[in-house]
Amino acid sequence: MIIEGILPLVGSFRDQVALVTGASSGIGRETARLLAQRGARVALAARRRERLEELAMAIRDAGGVALVVPTDVADRAAARAAAARVRRVWGRIDVLVNNAGVMTPAPVATLRGADLEAMLRVNLFGALFMTQAVLPAMQRHGGAIINVASLAGRRGVTPLGGYCASKFALVGLTEALRTEVDAARVHVGLVLPGVVETPMVTAIDQAAALPEWPAALNMPPEWVAAAVALAVRFRLREVAVPPGAALLEELATLAPGATDALIGWVQAAGRLLASLSHPAATVSPSRSRRRPDARHRSAGTAAPAARTPPAGRRRR
């Protein structure tokens, strides 16, 4: 497998402490497992304690070390408390992986302000709060902050306008942070995955929300986990998953009009491929533009401990 070929490059994380948000499923879960497998002590942060406990048990059964830290990253006080608890138990945090996020598909014309605000609270403010919670100590002893954004943070596509906006903001925040810190002491990296087979994607009607991308082409989350580990190991500033996938975004900088047309062609080709693969599940163009009913939270997050989330929200 691809991951097995990459693992030797990842090297050892022995004696390092990693805090992974959105660790209850998807990319966060696989990232935590990989770092633990490579020797790191891993703090698991998300809102679903039971899912974190299951993962922690699996890591320990495999010989690793894990700490369950139920956290709502969108709450500044909770983010600070999570980082403080990890430092109390293990003395420091060497690696922060900001992975938690939510996605609510909707065309910009019908995007609800409340849905955009919810995505910004987790996808942007969650990363900000966790970063601020670990940064002062990292600036003294060193460390790495890896933000899991998205290729949707480099190029807007429908019906993911709100999600794209939140990820564009995370990309900008990350790039700004990189200019603020001493790069020799604190490494700041971006991981930009495409469509990944995670609960955030599988929970939605992908044919309606992403008509240009057949589900058969979704990447396994292990690919993104490996990219995170490599970004830490080799101090990579930006990693697209799969490699080269950011070419369209780079082209858009030079020729946005041509890129819009190219995206239209790709969407049409994707719908055609989907119709040939699953004739019974073919989605008409009118349906593909309709806003799906449910909102979705990334695999790495869950219902807040202190409040009840809107019905149907889940993600990556």
Side-chain angles (χ1 to χ4, degrees):
M1 291 179 60
I2 293 177
I3 294 300
E4 293 174 348
I6 291 176
L7 282 180
L9 298 176
V10 171
S12 174
F13 280 80
R14 189 168 302 281
D15 298 326
Q16 294 196 48
V17 173
L19 171 56
V20 180
T21 72
S24 57
S25 60
I27 294 169
R29 180 182 179 88
E30 294 306 320
T31 298
R33 288 171 63 96
L34 177 58
L35 294 177
Q37 179 185 355
R38 307 311 294 177
R41 289 171 285 175
V42 182
L44 312 173
R47 294 191 286 190
R48 288 176 287 183
R49 176 186 285 273
E50 68 282 0
R51 298 294 299 273
L52 297 180
E53 294 287 1
E54 292 172 5
L55 175 58
M57 183 177 297
I59 288 174
R60 292 164 187 154
D61 288 345
V65 180
L67 175 67
V68 171
V69 188
T71 309
D72 178 1
V73 299
D75 183 322
R76 182 193 296 270
R80 290 178 175 175
R85 185 182 175 202
V86 177
R87 286 194 293 265
R88 282 197 304 271
V89 174
W90 288 330
R92 68 185 191 279
I93 298 172
D94 301 299
V95 179
L96 170 65
V97 180
N98 283 314
N99 165 73
V102 297
M103 178 175 72
T104 303
V108 173
T110 57
L111 175 63
R112 299 195 313 169
D115 289 341
L116 176 57
E117 182 178 357
M119 286 185 276
L120 288 170
R121 290 295 302 175
V122 177
N123 301 358
L124 178 63
F125 285 94
L128 172 65
F129 295 156
M130 291 304 305
T131 295
Q132 291 176 335
V134 306
L135 188 57
M138 277 193 181
Q139 289 178 313
R140 293 192 297 272
H141 67 67
I145 298 172
I146 306 299
N147 290 337
V148 180
S150 171
L151 291 176
R154 290 293 193 191
R155 173 70 200 189
V157 292
T158 190
L160 304 180
Y163 180 74
C164 292
S166 70
K167 291 300 186 177
F168 265 76
L170 179 59
V171 168
L173 189 79
T174 306
E175 292 177 340
L177 175 63
R178 199 161 55 221
T179 68
E180 296 174 6
V181 301
D182 179 357
R185 187 171 295 274
V186 180
H187 170 60
V188 179
L190 266 173
V191 172
L192 305 170
V195 183
V196 184
E197 188 74 1
T198 67
M200 182 176 71
V201 171
T202 58
I204 66 175
D205 180 354
Q206 186 169 338
L210 299 169
E212 75 283 5
W213 188 262
L217 299 182
N218 292 356
M219 294 179 293
E222 293 87 348
W223 289 16
V224 187
V228 170
L230 291 172
V232 177
R233 171 63 55 207
F234 295 106
R235 303 180 73 83
L236 303 176
R237 296 183 176 182
E238 188 170 309
V239 184
V241 187
L247 179 61
L248 183 63
E249 285 72 20
E250 294 169 0
L251 174 62
T253 302
L254 300 175
T259 306
D260 288 346
L262 179 58
I263 288 176
W265 298 336
V266 170
Q267 289 175 331
R271 286 191 290 269
L272 176 60
L273 179 58
S275 68
L276 293 176
S277 302
H278 305 285
T282 301
V283 179
S284 68
S286 61
R287 181 188 171 193
S288 71
R289 288 192 295 269
R290 223 165 40 220
R291 180 180 183 272
D293 294 332
R295 288 165 290 179
H296 306 282
R297 172 169 288 279
S298 101
T301 57
R307 65 180 187 271
T308 302
R313 179 183 294 171
R314 289 290 179 269
R315 169 210 160 184
R316 183 178 32 227

